[in-house]
Amino acid sequence: MMSISLRRGESLSLTDEGNLRGDLRLLLSGTSSPEVWILLCQDYCVASEGDVVNLQNPRHDSGAVSLSSTAGVGEQIFGTVSIELGKLPPQYDGIFVALTIDGAETFGNLTARLVDNRDGHELCRYDLLDEGSICAAMIFVALSSEAEGWRFEAVGEGTQTAAFSELLKRKDELS
């Protein structure tokens, strides 16, 4: 099976012949090293501080999502997100991977590679090329619950403020 290359706004179902691909690894790489924030949401809202996973709080209480900082070989991997959808409590309907960067920098070129941990197969990748626009924060990719299971989305939506509430509001308006 060949990996699918997604463009901004495209998505991929994580259900394959009725089976949910629920044990996943998301490799984040690029020409910059932004801070990674994983937001576990209920109706596009983060209910508590414990629903934010980052390097200071690298594992969600449910054990469903964790983040590690990784030094890559050949490409600059700045984060690895482990996701076990079967462990995620049912009240959560979205997992958003947000990035922040300091100062007047751009995010540069970014890549997200979604890998099925069962067989190591890359399901899809999303390459976001540097457009020269300066953003303080962005929702890079998201996993969203749907009636048939879960869906991986290539988002790439940035904002001038690092307020996650603004990012989630904009994502909700786009859906």
Side-chain angles (χ1 to χ4, degrees), residues 39-47 51 90-96 143-145 150 165 168-169 171-173 175:
L39 311 172
L40 283 78
C41 296
Q42 305 170 36
D43 296 321
Y44 293 98
C45 294
V46 176
D51 290 338
Q91 70 264 27
Y92 297 102
D93 56 11
I95 301 171
F96 296 86
L143 286 91
S144 300
S145 177
W150 284 80
S165 58
L168 293 172
K169 179 181 177 198
K171 172 63 178 117
D172 187 29
E173 291 168 356
S175 296

Side-chain angles (χ1 to χ4, degrees), residues 40 60-64 84-93 150:
L40 283 78
H60 188 259
D61 289 342
S62 68
E84 293 183 58
L85 292 173
K87 289 184 176 180
L88 193 65
Q91 70 264 27
Y92 297 102
D93 56 11
W150 284 80

Side-chain angles (χ1 to χ4, degrees), residues 46-63:
V46 176
S48 73
E49 195 174 290
D51 290 338
V52 177
V53 175
N54 58 24
L55 289 178
Q56 289 72 43
N57 178 35
R59 186 173 182 85
H60 188 259
D61 289 342
S62 68

Side-chain angles (χ1 to χ4, degrees), residues 1-19:
M1 178 185 266
M2 193 175 221
S3 176
I4 296 170
S5 184
L6 299 177
R7 292 183 300 216
R8 184 182 296 172
E10 293 182 330
S11 64
L12 173 73
S13 173
L14 297 178
T15 305
D16 182 29
E17 297 178 6
N19 297 315

